[in-house]
Amino acid sequence: MEGVDYLADERNKAEFDVDEMKIVWAGSRYNFELSDRISKLVANDPGFSKEGRTMLPRKELFKNTLRKAAYAWKRIIDLRLSEEEATQLRRWVDEPAFTDLHWGMFIPAIKGQGTDEQQKKWLPLAHKMQIIGCYAQTELGHGSNVQGLETTATFDPQTDEFVIHSPTLTSSKWWPGGLGKVSTHAVVYARLITDGKDYGINGFIVQLRSLEDHKPLPGITVGDIGMKFGNGAYNTMDNGVLKFDHVRIPRDQMLMRVSQVTKEGKYVQSDIPRQLLYGTMVYVRQTIVADASIAMSRAVCIATRYSAVRRQFGSQNGGKETQVIDYKTQQNRLFPLLASAYAFRFVGEWLKWLYTDVTQRLQANDFSTLPEAHACTAGLKSLTTTATADGIEECRKLCGGHGYLCSSGLPELFAVYVPACTYEGDNVVLQLQVARFLMKTVSQLGSVKKPVGTIAYMGRIEHLMQCRSDVKQAKDWLKPSAILEAFEARAVRMSVACAQNLSKFDNPEEGFAELAADLVEAAVSHCQLIVVSKFIEKLQQNIPGKGIKQQLEVLCGIYSLFLLHKHQGDFLGTGYITSKQASLANDQLRALYSQLRSNAVSLVDAFNYTDHYLDSILGRYDGNVYPKLYETAWKDPLNESDVADGFHDYIRPIIKQQLRTARL
Ligand SMILES: Cc1cc2nc3c(=O)[nH]c(=O)nc-3n(C[C@H](O)[C@H](O)[C@H](O)COP(=O)(O)OP(=O)(O)OC[C@H]3O[C@@H](n4cnc5c(N)ncnc54)[C@H](O)[C@@H]3O)c2cc1C
């Protein structure tokens, strides 16, 4: 029945003020009001309908995305939205499109790597969308190994131009979003060659298509790389292939903020330090961590609401069956994901602060915190996106068979989200970078250089190598100090064990390659510590609102103790806890699940997602799942007729034993 809230009983059980929690989740009242207003504006506009998206053939799907992007731009202009509001609008439209790369990579690349003059020339064009740009780094043959890129940009002093060329098939640009069918321009990464010498990878602004008829310019071969994983999903994006045949661009289209080539072909480093470029990287990774909390919370919102609606077994005397959310196994899979959504939200909030801090320090020529900030953002990008991709798939399984339907919203969410584990740095490659940083830190302990920021705990190595947990009863695991020391001791001990094993190799690089899997585990333990410690720090803030702090304490406990339970081999193996203490942690975890149970639906309501955004029958706010599933099935094109197309040719001949005469 329309208008009935089938989850009202669940909502009435909440022990906290949901409206206040919405503000905590949004970060501030201002953020909440902004996102609430824009998400509703999008949800109520039929121009942004998602109807049938997963059933459209690629060409229609793509054209519909182009229409939506143009319509969104029109709304942004008509409503005179600010940049902040426009970004929100694109987020709530919720369809991957070329605009993501234009605003998210092309413009930031010019801002970060272009000189003031270049920014003055290109940014107004890009901001008005008179040109549309993408970020063309990856090639068919090389992705993670950026130094291995093969595209060349050779300076010709005769004409004061660079010649951009793809010397091999594997040097074709491959993957850039927005490249295939839309972008007029690209920031292209190529080997800079001048005066016969290779100066490594640099960015260049290259025009790809005519601004009149959109045809590729001479020397440019460009197209889409083809269908990707899932229905709808990332197929709305024109990931592209691009080949250059001696394409000439003016010298001033090399992005020259940190290095330049003079008219005479001389390569000069500017006095602006190269490290400045890391600021952009910290920014991009911070947004990826924020996106992880959004994707995780979205999947968890669907799985939680549906788990409260779904009933299986347990009925006695014809009474109601058990809600599946009441099964401890369901709670043990779902509640840690709910806690992770909140944990990633808070660590993302902290990363925003870190970005501001790094930017201010860079402006003051203080590079001291940069390696630590770089390692921490790389590690958190890897940790949160891996957990979120796995978490979305777990949410699909938590919804049983119905989770496998596109109308649950989960298959498309998974297909859209999972490449986050690969782009902006493959997650394993990133953890190896973190591990390198950890090994360097361990080797420098005892020197004058004190570890700072998220690595400061290593300064207490002597204590952390020897201490033992003093937990005696289950509730002792609720003490933040008990949790924090456990995660610190585990992280230090795993790093030190790796460093000791590495020291047995004559050649450190050989050792690093051989021990790579252990090093990644040490890096992950360090990153989990960061998330746990930022959650604990959040709880030390003044958080007003009825019952809010108590709920967050429960979530923090679940996040930490679930990790402790899952990785108890590490905690036991490093000797910090006994098996008795591990078992007490598990007892406490179960108790926390019971505390969370009555608040679960309200905790996902606090994400404040519209039904339009969730796009999931299972996750509907009102819980009216079954009639909608039934209704939607009949909208499938296969159900347009009772008798399937193909019956006469392929089914009837089988039934009627006429295969020999059938035209197959
Ligand atoms: C949806 C999507 C959108 C993208 N958008 C863009 C874009 O807009 N612009 C752009 O330029 N690129 C884009 N990319 C490309 C992306 O940045 C690369 O795919 C990514 O950097 C990984 O590189 P790769 O594909 O070469 O993987 P590879 O590096 O070939 O990885 C393959 C495997 O090898 C492992 N591996 C690699 N190196 C090491 C090592 N040193 N040690 C141990 N293991 C290793 C990896 O962990 C992985 O398991 C996009 C990719 C996707 C999927």
Side-chain angles (χ1 to χ4, degrees), residues 444-462:
Q444 288 173 345
L445 288 173
S447 72
V448 257
K449 215 171 155 197
K450 288 271 164 289
V452 292
T454 53
I455 202 80
Y457 67 99
M458 289 242 182
R460 289 181 283 112
I461 190 164
E462 274 179 35

Side-chain angles (χ1 to χ4, degrees), residues 101 135-138 143-144 175-177 234 239 419 422-423 426 428-429 432:
L101 282 300
Y135 184 89
Q137 181 175 298
T138 307
S144 302
W175 271 118
Y234 218 76
N239 292 95
T422 305
Y423 56 59
D426 169 89
V428 170
V429 175
L432 286 168

Side-chain angles (χ1 to χ4, degrees), residues 101 105 134-146 149 173-179 187 189 225 228 234 237 239-240 415-416 418-430 432 436 512-513 516 520:
L101 282 300
M105 295 295 284
C134 65
Y135 184 89
Q137 181 175 298
T138 307
E139 296 175 356
L140 196 50
H142 291 94
S144 302
N145 180 11
V146 178
L149 295 179
K173 293 293 172 189
W174 190 271
W175 271 118
L179 165 67
V187 169
Y189 290 85
I225 59 171
K228 288 151 294 200
Y234 218 76
M237 183 73 84
N239 292 95
V416 165
V418 79
C421 298
T422 305
Y423 56 59
E424 275 305 309
D426 169 89
N427 281 356
V428 170
V429 175
L430 289 180
L432 286 168
R436 251 181 219 285
F512 199 87
V520 166

Side-chain angles (χ1 to χ4, degrees), residues 109-123 205 252-260 270 272:
I110 297 175
K111 271 190 190 161
Q113 296 160 40
T115 59
D116 289 348
E117 226 169 272
Q118 288 175 318
Q119 295 189 35
K120 234 190 205 155
K121 174 175 173 185
W122 295 99
L123 290 180
I205 300 177
D252 67 4
Q253 285 180 212
M254 164 180 167
L255 290 172
M256 296 217 200
R257 187 160 181 211
V258 294
S259 50
Q260 290 118 35
S270 85
I272 293 177

Side-chain angles (χ1 to χ4, degrees), residues 303 306-307 324-336 397-400:
Y306 179 65
S307 296
V324 296
I325 198 171
D326 284 327
Y327 291 113
K328 279 285 169 195
T329 46
Q330 191 85 351
Q331 295 177 3
N332 187 43
R333 294 155 69 204
L334 179 61
F335 292 172
K397 293 184 211 152
L398 282 161
C399 295

